[in-house]
Amino acid sequence: MKGYQTHSQTGILLNANEASQNVDDNVKQEILDAISNLALNRYPDTTCHELHDLYANIMNVPSSWILSGNGSDQMLGFLIQYYLQGNKTLYTLAPDFSMYDYYVELNHAKIEKFETSLDGSFDVDAFISNGKDKKVDMILFSNPNNPTGHAISKLEMIQICEAFSNIPVIFDEAYMEFGNESAIDLLKTYPMAFVCRTLSKAYGLAGIRCGFMISSQVEKLASLFIPYALSSVTQTIASVVLRHAEAYKVNIAAIISERERMYREVKDYKTISFYPSNANFLYGRTDKKDILMNLFKEKNITIRNYADTSFRITIGTSEENEMVLDVLRRFEYANS
């Protein structure tokens, strides 16, 4: 069994797809005031009533369809544990989020991966056909994809839900705030569909570990989930931030604008291949990655380095992004 490799915490951090800026000072003060009134000697509200009501309003779903936990990966781990007992098979993409492998191995289940193109795209009809042939028991993949940033359309989501209507189909939407078409609207039509979301990315709350599972199945599954999964502190911080959800739309729009600005500049590079992204990062490949990584190291910029020729760069502040572009320009000029 392989453990999950955590991210470096040194340099200008553009390796973990975190928000580059901390919570606004006014919101931070509101958080501090709310925490000061907590009864820390009491167990937290295991129903997360206030938090779920706030998030349900944002997502336009019944609050009874929401379950929250210690990051969205805890929700994914719970679903794998519940549905894949007895040596059953998870069906996912390659590449995708490595925690899927971790939870599958932890629960002694099996995993079947469908290879995507270099840009993360894949033939949905072939994906469905292969899944049927392999008699898979659960479908789970990130959309937008981590690490490629590719996202499938709602029509393609419907194709998958229709083809696998009798097994759980889970859309890991950790980056959907930066994308376009969510599977949320499909939950009413497809009872076995799930959406998982997180506050770690668009809401800049990676430090508190708060994620959600959304599905009509939650009403059945909630009683089986670990009690007190979210501390009173986490619930309080998340609730305060979600009351300011409208303000975060400005931050999200700025990140998308920066992503598109950067992609426009680098998409025609000869020495690096970059791909369109629906997330808060850009994914690329180069045969001279060692040289590129050294250039980033010289500038004290930390990006995500994969074992093959690929890498991933989080969209940071405009100043950080300009530093990244400067490195990429130097690399392109020197190696083309």
Side-chain angles (χ1 to χ4, degrees):
M1 178 176 170
K2 297 177 182 177
Y4 180 74
Q5 184 178 358
T6 54
H7 304 286
S8 170
Q9 296 287 338
T10 58
I12 297 171
L13 299 176
L14 301 178
N15 60 329
N17 302 334
E18 302 155 319
S20 287
Q21 295 176 311
N22 203 351
V23 174
D24 176 83
D25 285 344
N26 291 329
V27 176
K28 194 182 296 182
Q29 186 58 55
E30 196 176 326
I31 288 170
L32 292 172
D33 292 342
I35 288 174
S36 69
N37 294 318
L38 287 179
L40 297 177
N41 58 315
R42 302 298 181 190
Y43 284 106
D45 173 16
T46 195
T47 69
C48 302
H49 177 74
E50 181 182 16
L51 175 62
H52 291 179
D53 280 351
L54 285 164
Y55 202 62
N57 185 56
I58 293 168
M59 302 305 293
N60 194 29
V61 297
S63 59
S64 60
W65 286 17
I66 295 177
L67 190 62
S68 54
N70 191 12
S72 57
D73 59 309
Q74 185 179 41
M75 317 313 299
L76 297 168
F78 171 65
L79 287 169
I80 289 170
Q81 183 179 33
Y82 181 82
Y83 284 109
L84 295 185
Q85 292 292 322
N87 203 32
K88 292 181 180 177
T89 301
L90 174 70
Y91 191 30
T92 188
L93 301 174
D96 213 321
F97 187 31
S98 61
M99 283 300 290
Y100 306 160
D101 298 72
Y102 174 85
Y103 285 118
V104 165
E105 291 177 14
L106 187 67
N107 289 283
H108 307 289
K110 295 182 291 189
I111 192 163
E112 173 71 24
K113 298 186 179 185
F114 187 84
E115 197 80 27
T116 68
S117 301
L118 293 179
D119 64 354
S121 63
F122 61 100
D123 184 321
V124 170
D125 290 328
F127 174 83
I128 290 170
S129 177
N130 184 64
K132 293 284 190 181
D133 289 345
K134 298 296 172 60
K135 295 181 171 57
V136 298
D137 302 290
M138 173 193 280
I139 293 170
L140 163 60
F141 57 85
S142 57
N143 189 52
N145 178 265
N146 174 21
T148 65
H150 176 77
I152 65 171
S153 68
K154 187 170 291 185
L155 182 60
E156 290 170 317
M157 298 176 211
I158 291 171
Q159 281 183 263
I160 294 170
C161 288
E162 289 279 356
F164 297 99
S165 59
N166 295 323
I167 65 172
V169 177
I170 304 157
F171 300 98
D172 178 0
E173 294 190 347
Y175 300 96
M176 185 49 74
E177 286 87 353
F178 308 103
N180 296 311
E181 295 186 285
S182 170
I184 287 291
D185 294 342
L186 306 184
L187 300 182
K188 294 176 183 177
T189 307
Y190 301 101
M192 291 301 287
F194 295 78
V195 167
C196 288
R197 290 280 188 113
T198 181
L199 300 186
S200 294
K201 312 300 180 184
Y203 289 92
L205 293 179
I208 71 165
R209 307 298 295 129
C210 182
F212 302 96
M213 175 205 304
I214 310 169
S215 173
S216 61
Q217 297 298 309
V218 162
E219 294 173 277
K220 178 181 75 175
L221 299 176
S223 63
L224 303 173
F225 189 59
I226 183 172
Y228 311 123
L230 282 187
S231 72
S232 298
V233 173
T234 294
Q235 290 184 48
T236 299
I237 294 173
S239 295
V240 169
V241 166
L242 288 178
R243 291 192 196 101
H244 297 272
E246 280 297 314
Y248 278 84
K249 291 180 180 178
V250 176
N251 298 348
I252 293 165
I255 291 169
I256 293 171
S257 177
E258 282 290 289
R259 179 193 74 201
E260 294 305 299
R261 176 180 77 90
M262 295 178 73
Y263 179 66
R264 282 194 300 271
E265 175 161 340
V266 302
K267 66 185 179 68
D268 294 323
Y269 277 11
K270 300 293 188 289
T271 59
I272 312 176
S273 296
F274 280 99
Y275 307 101
S277 175
N278 290 276
N280 66 337
F281 55 79
L282 289 177
Y283 180 70
R285 294 177 182 274
T286 178
D287 291 331
K288 299 179 179 179
K289 195 174 66 172
D290 289 345
I291 297 172
L292 180 64
M293 296 304 296
N294 284 333
L295 287 175
F296 276 117
K297 188 175 181 180
E298 287 174 12
K299 293 298 182 180
N300 200 31
I301 299 171
T302 305
I303 68 171
R304 185 65 186 269
N305 184 12
Y306 293 104
D308 56 9
T309 61
S310 67
F311 58 90
R312 191 191 66 199
I313 307 172
T314 305
I315 306 301
T317 64
S318 57
E319 295 80 11
E320 291 169 344
N321 297 336
E322 200 55 43
M323 293 174 67
V324 167
L325 287 173
D326 184 59
V327 169
L328 295 174
R329 291 173 192 134
R330 287 170 54 206
F331 178 85
E332 172 75 356
Y333 178 77
N335 294 279
S336 59

